Amino acid sequence: MTEQRDADLPKPDSQQLSEPIEGATTPAVNNSWKNRIAGVWNNSTTRLMQLLPVDQVTQTAAKWFSVSEDRVAEILETVRAELPTTEALLIGKPQAGKSSIVRGLTGVSAEIVGQGFRPHTQHTERYAYPSNDLPLLIFTDTVGLGDVSQNTQAIIEELVEDLQQKSRRARILILTVKINDFATDTLRQIAQQLRQQHPDIPCLLAVTCLHEVYPPGTVDHPTYPPDYEEVNRAFAAIQQAFGGLCNRAVMIDFTLEEDGYNTVFYGLEALRDALAELLPEAESRAIYQLLDTEAGEKIGNLYRDVGRRYILAFSVMAAAIEAVPLPFASMPVLTVLQVSMVGVLGKLYGQTLTRSQAGGVVSAIASGFLARAVGRELIKFLPVLGSAIAASWAAAYTWALGEGACVYFGDLMGGKKPDPEKIQSVMQEAFKSAQERFKEIKR
């Protein structure tokens, strides 16, 4: 239905779109962002009423971008409760590869991972991805483990208390050990007590830094898994040391690009598969979708590459939300999710936006796609198939919106006015490719 309307979709007002939203670090503009948003919205809804014969539908649509702050908070709380979120408790010494595991599972840079962790308790830090408001992955990292001045029992008590908090999220313990580190008594003590207190929480042993025991003269990773005697012997010894404590063990070697090893995330697929075996179905599926290799391709632009990892996470959430079969019931939720995504992307590009300003960016760059969004909702009236199609389209639409936001913020960062034609062109292409990528997405 919407594909036939593509040629008739309204083009965005170039003046409205080309002027940045107030609050961004750009030259002053004449009109407030609220006036520009109102103009975009009024033009879009007028054109939609011409495109779609159902007046009631367009009147309902007019409410989507005017959700109150209280309603936004309520929606965020509801979505957080329903998301397939995984809490990964990372336990290991400093430099054992814990932050590298976060980089591997999220695709973001080491700098962003380092800045993302925030104090949680005296001995732990926490990082939520892609955002604190809407996390798909929550990493809790132990601080000071292995330091002789630290009280091991105090660390254990904090971890046990944290795990005793009621949560609907899936949880997993990840023990990280360097392959050439055999001083693991403290780590084993912690693992033993946590497993005794919480035997229902699965535990994965991740043996890291494999290249440190490669035979002399080895300059790159071999085909996975590495079949070197030195690696196999050390891996077997560590597995024996943690015998009976872990459900699975996996070898990984996540290095930095400048280290020169290929691939950078060696053993990522094995880590993904091990997590999938230990986690519930919904959380397992989310991790598989987050590790979509196509989304993480290098394109020579750090901001865009990192931005796509965030976009992918929000697209996965959009598909899960949009699978709700009742037409229009999920639109306010989807709008809040997309506004949150634009806020996160803006922060990545150095533009700190309020929730209202982020909503303004969404309205400004998405006006040409509004008719398609309505069409996605209308197709839900088809039995069974409708919701599946709507879920994949929601993911594709969110992806396209994220790509458009990256262009928008990228132009602002470069001191240029955002080009409406370029943004719409990028979104059109992104939507087409994302439809193919997400066509098999199911709740």
Side-chain angles (χ1 to χ4, degrees), residues 34-253:
K34 287 185 178 179
N35 291 333
R36 293 197 300 278
I37 301 321
V40 172
W41 180 250
N42 290 336
N43 289 339
S44 299
T45 51
T46 299
R47 293 168 184 171
L48 269 173
M49 292 180 72
Q50 297 171 351
L51 287 170
L52 298 172
V54 188
D55 290 344
Q56 186 177 358
V57 168
T58 54
Q59 290 170 6
T60 302
K63 302 176 183 177
W64 293 338
F65 289 111
S66 59
V67 184
S68 69
E69 289 294 311
D70 290 342
R71 180 60 175 148
V72 167
E74 180 183 340
I75 289 172
L76 286 174
E77 186 62 32
T78 301
V79 174
R80 276 195 294 267
E82 297 298 328
L83 282 178
T85 301
T86 297
E87 291 187 44
L89 183 58
L90 302 165
I91 306 173
K93 296 180 184 178
Q95 309 303 317
K98 293 176 291 181
S99 293
S100 296
I101 290 175
V102 178
R103 285 194 300 117
L105 292 177
T106 63
V108 301
S109 68
E111 180 182 10
I112 291 176
V113 169
Q115 294 173 349
F117 275 94
R118 295 288 181 269
H120 177 56
T121 65
Q122 182 180 351
H123 296 104
T124 63
E125 294 179 334
R126 181 164 283 183
Y127 171 49
Y129 173 82
S131 72
N132 286 315
D133 281 340
L134 295 167
L136 278 177
L137 295 172
I138 297 176
F139 301 94
T140 299
D141 183 11
T142 47
V143 178
L145 187 63
D147 187 340
V148 293
S149 65
Q150 294 290 343
N151 185 332
T152 301
Q153 191 57 40
I155 296 175
I156 295 172
E157 289 174 0
E158 280 190 9
L159 295 175
V160 169
E161 182 179 356
D162 196 24
L163 292 175
Q164 285 175 341
Q165 302 296 320
K166 290 185 178 180
S167 175
R168 297 177 59 181
R169 297 164 177 159
R171 288 167 163 171
I172 187 167
L173 305 177
I174 303 180
L175 308 182
T176 58
V177 184
K178 292 181 68 171
I179 195 165
N180 55 358
D181 181 7
F182 295 98
T184 58
D185 289 345
T186 299
L187 183 59
R188 178 174 174 80
Q189 179 187 353
I190 293 175
Q192 280 179 324
Q193 293 200 36
L194 291 180
R195 294 291 277 164
Q196 287 173 358
Q197 296 273 356
H198 300 279
D200 56 317
I201 298 178
C203 183
L204 174 65
L205 175 63
V207 180
T208 67
C209 304
L210 308 181
H211 68 275
E212 294 190 9
V213 297
Y214 282 173
T218 304
V219 297
D220 209 348
H221 294 305
T223 302
Y224 190 90
D227 190 18
Y228 294 138
E229 182 181 351
E230 298 87 341
V231 173
N232 293 334
R233 186 189 313 118
F235 184 50
I238 293 174
Q239 283 183 289
Q240 184 176 5
F242 288 88
L245 294 177
C246 302
N247 301 92
R248 285 287 307 275
V250 63
M251 292 187 289
I252 59 174
D253 198 345

